[in-house]
Amino acid sequence: MSFALAARFEQVTAVDISPGMLETVDRRAAAAGITNVRTTAPAALTASRNHDFAISLLVLQHLPTLAAIDAAIGVMAGTLKPGAPAVIELPEDPSIRGADLGHVQPD
């Protein structure tokens, strides 16, 4: 996704909890000559309010609690310019469909 976005945007910030995944993105970007993708871990994100939009797909269902999901959404929101959109794929509510997200426990 990051490389497709890089073809259309001046700067792309790729975020992943896995150092190995970030290294893979860096390596593949370098091999492809893509210079406008910056990789970072979620913990390094700040409330910079300088991103035009955020997209999160197939991420939040891996978080262990609803509080962790809430916190992740808060971090993403904090990076966005005022009024900037976010596309966030949300896991189904575990209180409704617990079988789908059995590892996510309500707080």
Side-chain angles (χ1 to χ4, degrees), residues 1-6 12 55 57:
M1 176 72 70
S2 298
F3 298 158
L5 294 170
V12 173
I55 184 168
L57 303 174

Side-chain angles (χ1 to χ4, degrees), residues 20-86:
M21 184 58 74
L22 296 175
E23 291 169 9
T24 297
V25 170
D26 287 336
R27 187 176 59 254
R28 289 182 179 173
I34 298 170
T35 60
N36 61 333
V37 174
R38 178 180 68 92
T39 58
T40 190
L45 290 174
T46 62
S48 58
R49 299 256 181 226
N50 64 357
H51 288 76
D52 294 316
F53 81 97
I55 184 168
S56 173
L57 303 174
L58 300 173
V59 173
L60 299 180
Q61 70 268 21
H62 297 289
L63 299 179
T65 65
L66 293 177
I69 291 170
D70 244 8
I73 292 171
V75 168
M76 282 185 268
T79 67
L80 293 172
K81 292 178 180 177

